[in-house]
Amino acid sequence: MAGKDSNIDHPNRTSSEVLKKQGNRLYKEGRVQQAIKSYLEAAVIAPSDPKPYYNLSAAHFELGDYRQCIQDISQALQRPSQDGSTLRRKLYPRLVKSCLHIKDIPAAEVNCAQMGDNPETAKLIAVCTTYRAASRQSAPAASQMIHQIPRYLPALDINFEYYAVGHDQACAQISLPAKQQESERLAAIFYLHAGSIIPSFAARMIQDTIKRVETALRSGQDLLLWLHIDKHSKEAILRSLRSWQRDVKSTFPVGMMVAIKLIWTSVLELPAVTEQKAFVARFQSMLLENTETIQKLNPAILRRAGLEHIRNMGPERVRKTDIRSLSSIDLDDHGVPYPLAEYLHWNRTNHGPLSFERLLPRPKLTTSLFTMFYKIVLPADRSSQEWGELVYAPLNLTIFIKILIHLHGLGYPAHWLSEPLVQVLKDQVTTSARSPESSPLHIAEAQRQNPTKHLTTAPFMAEMTTLTLVFLPTLPFAVIITTVPEVAQIHEYKITFKILIQPGDRIGLPVFVLIFWDDTLAKGVLGAPLDGFPEIRQILHPDGRLGHTSIPREEVQKLRQQGLRMVTTFQWNAQDSSASLCIPKKVIDDMQQSERWKSAILRTDRWEFASLSVPLLKTKLNTVSEGRRWID
């Protein structure tokens, strides 16, 4: 009887095997969703076979659908198999990682206990322990990151830093009457910058501020510490300020706002994603409903609202008119409406994750991430550029972590983002990415196909380790690594420097980083002190080639991996010429105990030293002071 049942099952197993092989081929080609269809068909044909569910778990894991992956693994484990122990050894690590990526730490710990002597057991238990500790620090960690971790490279002068995208140290720049509540001021700022319609309280507050600024300008008093107004520009500024001092109601009458409202109401009521035909029908209906109201409006108002061409259109004509022919309504290729198209909107139109088909292929994503990483730490030399033409990005390495978080929100699978970060932390980057050699980037360089090779990240690992530990509680994905210290080992340090200022130096530019080096090793390799060597960028560059061809590349690589550290994330205090940074205690202790390490400030636009070197010694005249722990 058993033999008969086996013979009956045999065609099904054969068909199932064909489908599994077809799915495996599609999976290897990157057609994961098509592979899932084949695996599902195989599971239907051979319902007692665990292998289709094993394959489904791998496919759903690759898609980033970790919850479905967990269900697939559960189905596979419920089905007996001759090679069940082999499947279990492969499935449980994937199960634990899926639990970690959805931040289900208890489930990850439970499944770790089922792994037995699996080679990955110890590593995954250690990761669970790290995340268990991090989960208890998530609330204070988020607050600390906002207030303590700089987002930009610092400038060295005494002025405040001001960027259009936000400031590291936000503070009020002009005193305001006490009666104005903080929430009202913030609301007025929001409406001024982002609101198409401003409520009366905000309008009054803005008008009051304009008057106070005008009074200050006329009296000659300083407005802001960071703002210099040339005397020849004062009259032009005053004229501009006066032009804003007008009655808002008479300038933007109710009728005009009604016309604009009619347009935007129809737009805002549409679903976030809609076909062009659906939008056209809805907008046509809106015009039909409001034709009489629009026709009664003053022609000047209609003209300013971009609606004068429909003033004489009766209901029948509106019903027959293709609104895509109306000049004031712009539709892009996807049917997205742009009434009053000249009005700019700085917002993200799609707030949900992208479909898997729209994601950048994983190899290209990984290459792009590594390209960005090396561009941040090793920007091109811009010493030949004129200062007036210089384009610089003030971002430090925190942007790398934040981009990973942003990409996760766009729908990129967690392990696609976690693994490049782990490779940086473990000095295991093998890529065709390179840091830029030209600025702006030459087309030929952008199109160049570089060979794939190992590029060391050793000089930047201390900072990336710190940032990973600091951001860990708020990362939306797991970082599967055990070679990082505990967050309790992160300490704040303060180092005092003597700045070197030459005529024409622009120390107000945010282009400065900290560099640490083993002075004895550097002198042995280079034959000269590092702070006197002319090719500092090429020494830091993992693929750099020195003009001094007599220096063996192997020795330079040894210096990169063992004798160099660079930090982009630190705060500068111009009052006492000190740099404050957070870094693992062991990193500083090891450098101090060897009595061979030095530190200095380096500028990355010209790749020159901007300070005298400071020896890292534990003496009474210590220039390095240890502060509190990050978690305190």
Side-chain angles (χ1 to χ4, degrees):
M1 190 71 170
K4 185 178 180 181
D5 289 341
S6 175
N7 290 335
I8 291 173
D9 264 349
H10 183 69
N12 286 349
R13 290 203 306 272
T14 302
S15 300
S16 176
E17 288 297 324
V18 171
L19 287 167
K20 283 188 291 185
K21 290 180 179 179
Q22 176 180 297
N24 292 342
R25 174 179 57 80
L26 292 168
Y27 182 92
K28 291 178 181 178
E29 293 174 356
R31 299 157 67 186
V32 182
Q33 291 174 313
Q34 290 91 329
I36 288 176
K37 293 179 181 179
S38 296
Y39 296 146
L40 285 172
E41 291 181 28
V44 171
I45 292 174
S48 61
D49 186 359
K51 290 184 179 179
Y53 291 99
Y54 168 84
N55 292 335
L56 280 169
S57 73
H60 282 122
F61 187 91
E62 184 61 17
L63 288 179
D65 191 349
Y66 303 108
R67 296 185 188 277
Q68 185 59 52
C69 173
I70 292 171
Q71 294 182 24
D72 296 334
I73 292 173
S74 176
Q75 292 291 330
L77 294 174
Q78 291 174 21
R79 289 162 169 76
S81 172
Q82 292 182 348
D83 54 353
S85 60
T86 302
L87 287 179
R88 289 172 64 89
R89 290 175 71 87
K90 293 180 178 180
L91 284 173
Y92 267 105
R94 187 180 298 157
L95 177 59
V96 173
K97 291 175 184 177
S98 294
C99 293
L100 286 170
H101 280 311
I102 64 174
K103 295 300 184 77
D104 190 347
I105 309 304
E109 292 172 328
V110 169
N111 288 303
C112 273
Q114 303 295 320
M115 290 177 62
D117 61 350
N118 192 294
E120 294 194 65
T121 300
K123 179 182 76 172
L124 292 175
I125 288 176
V127 173
C128 288
T129 302
T130 299
Y131 273 91
R132 173 66 68 181
S135 64
R136 294 192 292 267
Q137 302 165 8
S138 58
S143 175
Q144 282 180 303
M145 276 189 288
I146 292 173
H147 294 100
Q148 297 182 26
I149 298 297
R151 293 172 288 175
Y152 310 113
L153 301 175
L156 299 187
D157 62 9
I158 203 168
N159 293 330
F160 291 110
E161 301 167 351
Y162 294 93
Y163 304 118
V165 292
H167 310 137
D168 278 335
Q169 313 225 353
C171 54
Q173 296 304 306
I174 185 168
S175 59
L176 295 170
K179 64 180 181 180
Q180 292 184 359
Q181 298 298 320
E182 183 70 20
S183 59
E184 290 183 354
R185 294 202 299 269
L186 292 175
I189 292 172
F190 165 78
Y191 282 115
L192 178 63
H193 288 278
S196 56
I197 299 177
I198 299 179
S200 57
F201 84 89
R204 287 194 299 269
M205 192 174 294
I206 292 167
Q207 290 295 328
D208 178 64
T209 302
I210 291 173
K211 291 176 183 177
R212 290 169 50 242
V213 171
E214 181 186 18
T215 301
L217 280 174
R218 291 189 182 282
S219 65
Q221 70 183 79
D222 291 332
L223 284 173
L224 307 170
L225 291 176
W226 50 272
L227 179 62
H228 171 72
I229 297 179
D230 185 85
K231 62 180 181 180
H232 302 292
S233 305
K234 184 178 292 187
E235 282 303 317
I237 294 173
L238 286 170
R239 284 196 301 272
S240 179
L241 289 172
R242 284 194 295 271
S243 71
W244 281 91
Q245 293 176 333
R246 53 187 176 177
D247 182 9
V248 176
K249 290 184 179 180
S250 62
T251 307
F252 302 100
V254 175
M256 177 182 176
M257 302 315 296
V258 168
I260 297 175
K261 174 68 174 176
L262 291 176
I263 292 180
W264 282 109
T265 299
S266 68
V267 174
L268 296 174
E269 287 179 355
L270 291 175
V273 179
T274 181
E275 295 183 358
Q276 184 168 340
K277 289 183 179 179
F279 167 75
V280 169
R282 175 66 186 87
F283 199 91
Q284 203 90 16
S285 174
M286 184 279 301
L287 283 178
L288 192 61
E289 294 169 5
N290 297 280
T291 298
E292 292 185 6
T293 302
I294 293 174
Q295 289 175 340
K296 293 178 182 178
L297 295 176
N298 185 292
I301 294 175
L302 288 172
R303 184 167 54 253
R304 293 173 65 181
L307 294 172
E308 62 175 332
H309 51 283
I310 65 172
R311 176 173 173 76
N312 298 318
M313 292 172 62
E316 285 302 315
R317 188 175 175 190
V318 170
R319 188 177 289 110
K320 296 177 181 179
T321 300
D322 183 352
I323 66 166
R324 285 169 294 186
S325 65
L326 302 182
S327 61
S328 68
I329 308 297
D330 287 355
L331 297 177
D332 67 9
D333 294 337
H334 304 288
V336 178
Y338 287 97
L340 308 176
E342 70 278 4
Y343 194 89
L344 297 179
H345 297 273
W346 295 87
N347 67 316
R348 178 179 158 193
T349 56
N350 178 17
H351 292 274
L354 302 174
S355 62
F356 189 78
E357 294 84 357
R358 294 185 63 189
L359 300 180
L360 198 66
R362 188 177 181 182
K364 290 186 177 181
L365 173 71
T366 302
T367 301
S368 298
L369 288 173
F370 288 144
T371 300
M372 178 174 298
F373 175 84
Y374 286 111
K375 181 178 181 179
I376 294 168
V377 295
L378 292 168
D381 187 309
R382 291 152 289 169
S383 56
S384 61
Q385 289 181 317
E386 295 291 334
W387 287 111
E389 301 172 357
L390 185 63
V391 177
Y392 59 86
L395 301 169
N396 58 29
L397 269 176
T398 60
I399 192 61
F400 187 76
I401 303 288
K402 293 174 182 177
I403 284 175
L404 296 180
I405 296 173
H406 175 69
L407 290 173
H408 185 270
L410 291 179
Y412 283 91
H415 62 287
W416 287 24
L417 307 172
S418 175
E419 290 179 15
L421 178 58
V422 169
Q423 291 173 36
V424 170
L425 295 172
K426 297 177 71 173
D427 193 16
Q428 294 179 349
V429 173
T430 299
T431 181
S432 61
R434 297 292 188 272
S435 60
E437 298 300 325
S438 56
S439 177
L441 192 67
H442 293 161
I443 294 177
E445 183 181 352
Q447 296 175 340
R448 183 185 305 149
Q449 298 296 315
N450 299 306
T452 298
K453 61 186 300 185
H454 172 256
L455 299 182
T456 184
T457 58
F460 322 108
M461 285 169 54
E463 179 181 8
M464 284 305 300
T465 297
T466 301
L467 294 177
T468 301
L469 289 170
V470 167
F471 277 88
L472 196 64
T474 54
L475 284 178
F477 52 84
V479 182
I480 314 295
I481 186 172
T482 59
T483 56
V484 295
E486 297 179 359
V487 70
Q489 297 300 312
I490 302 295
H491 283 243
E492 184 180 20
Y493 291 90
K494 181 178 179 180
I495 308 176
T496 304
F497 296 96
K498 183 176 181 180
I499 302 301
L500 298 173
I501 302 179
Q502 302 294 332
D505 278 352
R506 297 292 187 97
I507 62 172
L509 293 176
V511 295
F512 297 92
V513 299
L514 294 177
I515 185 169
F516 302 84
W517 70 95
D518 183 329
D519 192 49
T520 303
L521 180 59
K523 289 178 180 177
V525 171
L526 305 175
L530 185 72
D531 47 352
F533 200 78
E535 296 180 273
I536 184 64
R537 182 177 184 272
Q538 294 303 99
I539 295 172
L540 284 164
H541 197 305
D543 197 33
R545 291 171 171 78
L546 298 181
H548 296 65
T549 54
S550 59
I551 302 176
R553 295 194 64 183
E554 296 78 10
E555 291 296 307
V556 177
Q557 186 70 356
K558 178 182 177 182
L559 176 60
R560 290 186 189 115
Q561 292 182 316
Q562 300 178 15
L564 285 174
R565 307 282 186 272
M566 197 178 99
V567 174
T568 67
T569 309
F570 70 100
Q571 292 180 339
W572 175 252
N573 187 330
Q575 301 288 349
D576 60 4
S577 295
S578 66
S580 298
L581 69 154
C582 292
I583 202 166
K585 178 177 172 59
K586 189 177 186 303
V587 173
I588 297 294
D589 285 350
D590 288 349
M591 289 191 291
Q592 288 184 318
Q593 289 171 7
S594 73
E595 299 185 347
R596 296 164 39 154
W597 285 73
K598 290 184 176 182
S599 178
I601 296 177
L602 190 69
R603 62 183 309 152
T604 58
D605 55 344
R606 303 202 300 254
W607 288 100
E608 297 174 352
F609 281 82
S611 77
L612 295 177
S613 61
V614 172
L616 302 182
L617 302 173
K618 283 193 173 182
T619 65
K620 292 182 178 180
L621 299 177
N622 189 13
T623 55
V624 182
S625 58
E626 181 180 323
R628 64 177 185 80
R629 297 185 305 168
W630 172 256
I631 62 174
D632 291 340

